[in-house]
Amino acid sequence: MATLAKAPVEQVSGWASKSVADKLVARAKELRSFLAEQAPDGEKRRNPTEAVDKMLKKEGFLRLLLPQRLGGFGLSPTDFCRVQMEIAKGDPAISWVIQIINGTSWVTSLAPDSVQDAVFSEGPQPVCGAYNPPGKARKVDGGWIINGAWPYMSGSRQATWTQQGVVLEDYDGPVVPGINMCYIPMSEFEIKDTWFVSGMQGTGSDTAIAKDVFIPDEQMALMNERTGQIDPTKKHFGAPSDLIPAVPMVRNTGLAQLVGAVEAMLELVTAESGKPVLTTTIGPRTGSGAYMRDLGESAALVETAKTLLFSLTAKLDRVGLGEEFTQEEKVRQRGLCGQLVESIHCACESLMFQAGSSGFSLEKPINRYWRDISMALRHIQNIPTIGYEIQGRALAGGDPIAPPGSY
């Protein structure tokens, strides 16, 4: 099968073409069996297998969101989600790695010109990173000395650069969006094997440790020139993705793999509809009103999640083409993401009831999907009650609980 290693030529007028996006979606569908076969070994290794690592780098799945000026595909948020949903049906953990690296690499493309020149001087680079707990940065002549330990570094084995949150020495304030970001080659870190978790085991989300690492001034983005800022005065500016606020983009597209994973769970449970309903005289599940009702509700919840997701990303697509993105719309999106998360969660749990006790065997693929979804839903950006409170306070005129940039 043909690969898609080369990104399209520069298209300054808009997002990547439909034909480019459709080919990537089709390729993601083709990879489903391969990813599913590799997933058990990835879980045991707690990071992607060598075969998957090679595929991700060779076929360009780590630069889907990068603008074309940097050698990426420049996919729209909606098309990126379409790809992610198909990858997740094979292995949600690999979809998570793709999400983190694409998201962090894209945020780096919004950084000051000096950072973009440093990171992407030799072509597109996969970037991963973390910002909390932050490291420490000490100013020296010509640059900074960086110290810190950052856990949850998903994609740590695939990245060549990192974007790390730091505070300046002697700083005791809150850690919020807009924190200082430093950019460090992955080769400068010690990777500590710390990723022992119940879900998303195959993501390589270990701890990166920096000890007295020097970086030049060009590799630091201070809080007052925060990474993710929309700044048309930059030299490196002009792609649709340069117009989208960082937090809504990363949060919304980050839900795509969970939609794809729960859709795969629905397929697995539906395929077992001919199994008998034990301890009853009903026979196959198709003869049970209870089973068929629950299956139908799960399907409706999955469809609700997909509808909400593509509604949210369609707005981001239009923002990239110049449409205004008001504060009211950002608040509304935060609340709707809460509803999207709850739809995924309800479907996921119901499907495990329908799968029965055998679904909890570690050998069953549905168990891996369930564990991966259950963990990813608890990411801080996905907590429904926080999104609902943000929207409720905005509606009632209450004091906000988060900086506007985090909506």
Side-chain angles (χ1 to χ4, degrees):
M1 289 177 286
T3 64
L4 292 163
K6 292 184 178 180
V9 297
E10 183 71 21
Q11 291 181 351
V12 297
S13 59
W15 300 107
S17 68
K18 183 178 184 301
S19 62
V20 168
D22 287 349
K23 288 178 182 178
L24 284 162
V25 173
R27 182 60 179 143
K29 289 181 179 179
E30 292 175 343
L31 288 166
R32 181 171 179 175
S33 296
F34 164 71
L35 293 172
E37 291 167 0
Q38 294 287 313
D41 286 341
E43 278 206 312
K44 293 176 184 177
R45 292 163 50 98
R46 288 172 291 107
N47 60 78
T49 65
E50 292 181 5
V52 172
D53 176 83
K54 181 178 179 181
M55 180 278 295
L56 292 174
K57 294 172 180 176
K58 179 180 179 182
E59 302 207 24
F61 284 102
L62 301 181
R63 49 193 174 93
L64 300 174
L65 285 180
L66 266 185
Q68 294 167 19
R69 67 166 182 269
L70 298 175
F73 286 95
L75 288 187
S76 70
T78 294
D79 285 333
F80 177 64
C81 288
R82 291 171 60 214
V83 174
Q84 281 288 73
M85 287 168 60
E86 298 303 330
I87 294 289
K89 292 174 185 178
D91 186 356
I94 299 305
S95 187
W96 186 268
V97 169
I98 291 174
Q99 162 67 23
I100 295 299
I101 288 185
N102 271 279
T104 311
S105 302
W106 167 71
V107 171
T108 304
S109 79
L110 306 181
D113 289 323
S114 61
V115 170
Q116 295 190 56
D117 287 338
V119 175
F120 301 116
S121 62
E122 297 182 1
Q125 299 294 321
V127 185
C128 73
Y131 80 89
N132 189 47
K136 293 289 184 72
R138 174 167 53 88
K139 189 72 180 79
V140 295
D141 288 343
W144 301 82
I145 299 296
I146 307 297
N147 284 280
W150 293 268
Y152 316 121
M153 291 277 288
S154 301
S156 59
R157 305 307 196 282
Q158 285 64 56
T160 56
W161 279 80
T162 71
Q163 171 189 276
Q164 307 298 103
V166 290
V167 294
L168 308 187
E169 287 195 353
D170 301 322
Y171 176 79
D172 294 320
V175 179
V176 298
I179 192 174
N180 311 295
M181 291 290 187
C182 64
Y183 293 82
I184 306 175
M186 182 58 81
S187 59
E188 297 285 344
F189 289 92
E190 171 194 349
I191 301 297
K192 188 175 181 180
D193 192 14
T194 58
W195 190 238
F196 297 92
V197 291
S198 59
M200 289 292 178
Q201 290 179 307
T203 59
S205 304
D206 290 308
T207 299
I209 301 172
K211 297 179 179 178
D212 295 324
V213 173
F214 171 81
I215 64 168
D217 286 323
E218 292 76 18
Q219 290 170 218
M220 174 70 87
L222 294 172
M223 193 177 296
N224 64 341
E225 54 181 15
R226 64 187 185 280
T227 295
Q229 183 169 278
I230 298 172
D231 181 6
T233 67
K234 289 186 295 189
K235 174 180 68 175
H236 299 301
F237 190 89
S241 59
D242 294 325
L243 297 175
I244 299 181
V247 175
M249 173 75 142
V250 173
R251 182 186 63 244
N252 296 358
T253 58
L255 292 168
Q257 62 262 36
L258 306 185
V259 175
V262 77
E263 197 167 23
M265 290 180 67
L266 178 64
E267 292 177 8
L268 290 170
V269 170
T270 302
E272 294 188 338
S273 294
K275 293 179 65 174
V277 182
L278 298 179
T279 74
T280 77
T281 60
I282 293 174
R285 293 178 181 177
T286 51
S288 166
Y291 268 100
M292 292 301 97
R293 181 263 176 208
D294 287 352
L295 183 64
E297 181 183 49
S298 296
L301 287 166
V302 172
E303 194 62 32
T304 296
K306 290 172 65 176
T307 300
L308 284 171
L309 174 67
F310 288 129
S311 172
L312 298 175
T313 59
K315 175 62 184 182
L316 297 182
D317 294 350
R318 298 193 300 272
V319 171
L321 299 178
E323 185 172 299
E324 184 182 6
F325 197 9
T326 67
Q327 186 66 13
E328 290 76 15
E329 288 175 310
K330 294 175 185 177
V331 167
R332 178 175 173 271
Q333 284 214 358
R334 190 65 190 262
L336 287 174
C337 279
Q339 192 63 54
L340 202 167
V341 165
E342 290 203 295
S343 295
I344 296 170
H345 181 243
C346 290
C348 179
E349 294 303 315
S350 176
L351 288 165
M352 288 305 286
F353 270 107
Q354 295 170 60
S357 57
S358 65
F360 289 86
S361 168
L362 293 178
E363 296 181 354
K364 290 290 189 76
I366 196 170
N367 183 271
R368 175 166 45 83
Y369 291 114
W370 172 67
R371 285 183 287 110
D372 286 352
I373 292 170
S374 296
M375 181 170 184
L377 285 175
R378 272 70 179 185
H379 189 282
I380 187 61
Q381 283 288 346
N382 294 339
I383 305 301
T385 51
I386 295 177
Y388 293 154
E389 182 177 359
I390 287 172
Q391 186 172 25
R393 285 175 177 269
L395 288 171
D399 294 332
I401 61 170
S406 66
Y407 291 175

